[in-house]
Amino acid sequence: MRPTRRLLGVLLLVLLSAPSRASFAAEIPNVLVSRQLLAKAHLSVGDVVTLAADAGGARARQFRIAGVYEPTPDPLKFNVERLETRVHLDDLLELVADPNDPSTADAVSAINVLLTDSSKGTAFSRALAAKTPFLFAVPTRDSESSTFQVVDRFHTAIAVVTVVGSTAFLLALMVIRAEERKETVGILRLIGISRKTIMTEVVVEGLLVAIAGAAVGVLIAAGAQHAVNRFFQARYDTSLVFMRVSPGIALRSVAVAIPVGVVAGTVASWTLLRRKATSLVRR
Amino acid sequence: MTPLALAWRTARRYRARAVLAVIGVAVIGALNFDMLMLSRGLVLSFADLLNATNYNIRISGNSGLPLSRSPIDNAGTLMKQVAALPQIASVAVMRTASAALVEPSRRPQGVELVGSSDPSGLGVWRLLRGSNLDTASDGTAAQTAVVSQTLAERFSLAPGSTIHVRAGISGTMSALPPISLRIVGVGDFPFEPEESLVVATSMAGFARAHGGVVDDRAEFMFAASRPNVGVDAAVDAIDKLRPDIRAFSNEQLVANFARNAFTYFRQISVVLSTTTAVFSFLLVTTLLTVSVNQRLGEVAALRALGIRRRHIAATLLWEAVLLVGIGGTLALPLGQLLASILDGILRRMPGLPAGLHFFAFEPQSLVLHVLVLSATAIVAAAYPTWLAVRLPIAQTLRQEVVS
């Protein structure tokens, strides 16, 4: 059995024994239990639990619950019930090692390395891979972000499509608004108001509508984030934050709205200004 | 003139706004269609992957996570026990190990070594060139191998080439001598991530790579139930053999997958399809309402001429149906195009099996798309219709004349 799977086996298997406390405290090694496991197995701090590497209870050992921890929110595990324990590495190796294979007592799933120069992560992983083909070093920055870069790109693509749809929406609205004021614009042009001034007015109107729309959108999102986070946090029993309207995102939304408003205003004013003033006031 | 003809004429008269509305609905409709395809895409794709193999039962260890179970101990004995069951037509086993490709004057390249008892690969690979594994080779000749397309391209390999593979021993830094494998085929490995470097060989080749000494374990065992026996009965029979194993039918695996894997995308698809439906509704309602407000005089004149309210309401409904219908129809090819782009983005996720897709078309998605858009058109037309049919004719005409 691979060490990772053994570890999972250990993490998922907790056999509760009699909750005698102080008398064992000195001899029994400590274990930390996740909040979720504590609740699910009806445990409490100070209880003595028995951990084993398999369901048959092979090489079972007793541990005393020294504390409870909230598992670090991990977006890759948000839909997995975090039934976990933390034991000292020596205790874990003793628990999972195969007595018939001494090498398993010195096997680990992963080693964390802190480099003196953190920018050399990729070079280090290449050098290690070249020397030892069965060891893989992955800079933690890469391993953490690669999945989320993909999800981020996916969300960006959806946002782009939404912006295209919104542009068409705003454009149609502005064209209708321009049509509505066809006669007014015709009269303005007949009394000498320049095309540039009229165009500026329509563009500014489009801009204001777009910015106001974006601002309302940001407000709705800011209001919704609490509900969304509460729902998903309760649904998956995690402290992970699923939605956060940051100032950067809010500014980006408004920044995207500006060209959308300008384009919509320009196109709408063009539908009026390309015609002669007399044709605009004709009934 | 029928309401449909009148609605068509109105759309043509206000061409620019009609075209823009259709574009808006098409774009948002495409996103909606994509979200419907996303909601079950992974599950359908996973089911397709499983069903593409010749085996309808997977057997694995009883512990671990649903999609990452522990290996099976005493696999050889279990294989014989499973094969002896009257409900089972065939059984095969698969093993995996880390290995390295060691070729002269090249750096060792880490690969995944797969050992298969089924020469055609249990559906783990789909042959692109060459042939499947040769089980007839004797103990002294080089064992055959099927390699992944990426490995073949990177090392310029083709059927007939020979490679040297050194198996890794888990938990130790020991090195076994490399063995020669003769490539007989190049294939796609849909269960492995894109660009994976995979070498698949027979179980004899796998054992030889490990110096002829391998523990009696297997990562997966595959079985096919007899056609005249239900798969559930076969699964039950296997489950009863030993307490440390668990058998799953393909359907059970798919159900597990639907419950546990990538639920985020199912949820985001629900949120986004709801949002896009609301967006489409707002778009069409606003456009129709503004359009009706602009044509109040026209509507009042039609009413004054004796056109019935029902006729006016039907015209407005047809206008909404035309905008949403044409936009929704255009949304289908646009949605397919967008889905392929979004799928391309998501499939860059590390570790994702190459054969898995996020977006999958099924008739149910199309039906839902049509239903959502139909509801949008009807609801969107409600308010402007109410405005038009309750219009005070004389007052409106007077206001229009005065203005």
Side-chain angles (χ1 to χ4, degrees):
Chain A
M1 194 186 290
R2 288 179 182 174
T4 318
R5 286 178 173 147
R6 280 185 162 167
L7 179 64
L8 283 169
V10 171
L11 295 182
L12 294 174
L13 178 71
V14 173
L15 305 170
L16 179 61
S17 70
S20 53
R21 299 186 182 187
S23 58
F24 293 97
E27 306 84 24
I28 298 178
N30 288 337
V31 62
L32 294 180
V33 179
S34 70
R35 173 182 57 78
Q36 292 87 339
L37 178 59
L38 193 88
K40 185 153 188 168
H42 307 293
L43 301 171
S44 55
V45 174
D47 283 357
V48 174
V49 293
T50 305
L51 301 182
D54 61 39
R59 300 192 301 283
R61 282 194 70 194
Q62 287 192 320
F63 292 83
R64 187 178 60 82
I65 299 176
V68 187
Y69 69 95
E70 180 67 35
T72 306
D74 183 349
L76 291 175
K77 293 181 181 170
F78 76 87
N79 58 351
V80 176
E81 205 173 9
R82 303 290 292 270
L83 304 180
E84 302 171 359
T85 63
R86 297 282 171 97
V87 296
H88 291 290
L89 181 60
D90 291 343
D91 293 332
L92 176 68
L93 289 175
E94 200 176 317
L95 196 66
V96 300
D98 183 351
N100 301 320
D101 183 0
S103 67
T104 57
D106 193 25
V108 293
S109 309
I111 299 172
N112 292 328
V113 177
L114 177 65
L115 298 180
T116 48
D117 181 356
S118 60
S119 65
K120 298 276 175 60
T122 309
F124 174 76
S125 79
R126 276 195 197 134
L128 189 69
K131 286 178 185 167
T132 52
F134 301 114
L135 280 186
F136 303 98
V138 183
T140 49
R141 195 178 299 159
D142 292 353
S143 66
E144 282 171 3
S145 62
S146 50
T147 300
F148 299 103
Q149 281 173 355
V150 171
V151 174
D152 189 43
R153 278 199 288 268
F154 171 67
H155 288 168
T156 306
I158 288 177
V160 168
V161 176
T162 313
V163 167
V164 172
S166 309
T167 308
F169 183 17
L170 185 61
L171 210 50
L173 206 60
M174 292 301 292
V175 166
I176 294 174
R177 293 273 297 143
E179 282 288 320
E180 251 178 5
R181 287 176 298 173
K182 189 173 69 174
E183 289 176 9
T184 312
V185 170
I187 292 166
L188 286 174
R189 284 190 49 199
L190 284 175
I191 62 172
I193 306 291
S194 69
R195 289 182 179 209
K196 193 179 165 187
T197 306
I198 295 169
M199 184 170 175
T200 306
E201 189 273 327
V202 180
V203 169
V204 168
E205 187 183 328
L207 198 57
L208 288 176
V209 170
I211 291 174
V216 171
V218 168
L219 286 177
I220 292 173
Q225 69 174 339
H226 182 66
V228 169
N229 286 330
R230 285 290 296 274
F231 173 77
F232 283 109
Q233 282 168 356
R235 167 79 176 75
Y236 294 111
D237 193 12
T238 175
S239 55
L240 203 66
V241 175
F242 287 79
M243 179 180 171
R244 179 178 285 154
V245 181
S246 64
I249 289 173
L251 280 176
R252 207 191 301 174
S253 305
V254 176
V256 168
I258 290 172
V260 169
V262 170
V263 168
T266 307
V267 173
S269 59
W270 175 78
T271 61
L272 289 179
L273 298 176
R274 71 195 168 99
R275 293 188 244 174
K276 287 181 182 174
T278 48
S279 71
L280 293 173
V281 291
R282 192 183 299 149
R283 280 185 169 249
Chain B
M1 185 177 284
T2 63
L4 172 60
L6 196 57
W8 178 247
R9 284 196 174 195
T10 308
R12 288 187 63 183
R13 184 178 163 200
Y14 300 103
R15 199 168 298 162
R17 76 174 66 156
V19 168
L20 287 170
V22 165
I23 291 172
V25 172
V27 173
I28 298 302
L31 195 54
N32 186 277
F33 185 49
D34 283 353
M35 291 307 115
L36 293 171
M37 289 200 285
L38 177 65
S39 65
R40 276 175 41 83
L42 276 169
V43 174
L44 290 173
S45 175
F46 186 59
D48 284 348
L49 261 183
L50 292 181
N51 294 330
T53 67
N54 297 324
Y55 300 88
N56 55 1
I57 298 169
R58 303 292 189 268
I59 308 163
S60 61
N62 196 19
S63 56
L65 298 171
L67 296 174
S68 169
R69 294 206 164 259
S70 54
I72 303 163
D73 293 325
N74 302 318
T77 313
L78 179 67
M79 200 170 161
K80 285 177 192 158
Q81 288 174 319
V82 173
L85 288 171
Q87 295 90 342
I88 299 299
S90 60
V91 61
V93 72
M94 190 187 92
R95 294 214 58 174
T96 61
S98 297
L101 200 61
V102 282
E103 297 301 330
S105 67
R106 293 193 77 146
R107 279 183 175 180
Q109 172 66 58
V111 295
E112 182 174 1
L113 183 65
V114 174
S116 165
S117 67
D118 181 343
S120 63
L122 313 141
V124 170
W125 68 79
R126 294 173 189 151
L127 209 57
L128 296 173
R129 296 192 296 280
S131 60
N132 279 315
L133 299 175
D134 178 10
T135 51
S137 58
D138 61 41
T140 53
Q143 288 289 330
T144 55
V146 172
V147 297
S148 64
Q149 174 82 345
T150 311
L151 185 67
E153 282 170 6
R154 194 174 294 181
F155 281 78
S156 305
L157 302 172
S161 309
T162 299
I163 54 173
H164 301 90
V165 173
R166 185 199 300 277
I169 307 172
S170 177
T172 73
M173 294 293 288
S174 304
L176 284 163
I179 63 155
S180 300
L181 291 172
R182 182 169 53 86
I183 296 174
V184 289
V186 176
D188 268 342
F189 288 74
F191 289 93
E192 300 294 332
E194 201 97 48
E195 315 266 304
S196 282
L197 305 175
V198 188
V199 176
T201 185
S202 61
M203 289 307 287
F206 188 86
R208 193 185 289 183
H210 286 81
V213 183
V214 279
D215 49 18
D216 191 16
R217 281 187 176 147
E219 273 71 29
F220 272 109
M221 199 172 278
F222 299 71
S225 60
R226 288 192 188 281
N228 56 340
V229 178
V231 64
D232 292 335
V235 166
D236 286 344
I238 295 170
D239 267 339
K240 281 175 190 158
L241 287 175
R242 267 168 45 178
D244 63 329
I245 57 149
R246 181 79 201 272
F248 296 93
S249 67
N250 285 358
E251 290 74 21
Q252 286 170 330
L253 273 181
V254 171
N256 265 342
F257 184 81
R259 266 198 307 275
N260 300 311
F262 296 103
T263 48
Y264 171 76
F265 290 101
R266 202 164 57 239
Q267 280 147 5
I268 199 173
S269 73
V270 171
V271 171
L272 280 176
S273 56
T274 310
T275 310
T276 50
V278 171
F279 194 89
S280 306
F281 157 72
L282 277 178
L283 171 69
V284 180
T285 307
T286 309
L287 291 182
L288 279 180
T289 307
V290 175
S291 171
V292 165
N293 277 333
Q294 204 179 16
R295 289 155 38 205
L296 285 180
E298 190 181 305
V299 173
L302 286 172
R303 293 271 312 280
L305 286 171
I307 307 289
R308 284 183 297 178
R309 287 180 180 190
R310 197 191 307 164
H311 201 88
I312 301 283
T315 305
L316 286 171
L317 184 61
W318 272 115
E319 266 187 59
V321 168
L322 281 176
L323 294 180
V324 175
I326 297 172
T329 307
L330 290 176
L332 297 178
L334 197 61
Q336 284 287 1
L337 179 69
L338 184 61
S340 66
I341 295 169
L342 293 176
D343 199 50
I345 291 173
L346 287 174
R347 278 165 42 75
R348 286 182 208 143
M349 210 172 269
L352 195 77
L356 212 55
H357 291 270
F358 285 79
F359 297 84
F361 176 79
E362 60 173 339
Q364 188 185 322
S365 305
L366 183 61
V367 170
L368 265 175
H369 175 71
V370 171
L371 285 177
V372 167
L373 287 183
S374 305
T376 302
I378 292 166
V379 177
Y383 178 64
T385 305
W386 181 80
L387 275 183
V389 296
R390 291 178 60 87
L391 202 66
I393 301 172
Q395 191 186 336
T396 308
L397 284 174
R398 184 175 169 279
Q399 276 173 354
E400 285 291 310
V401 170
V402 169
S403 67

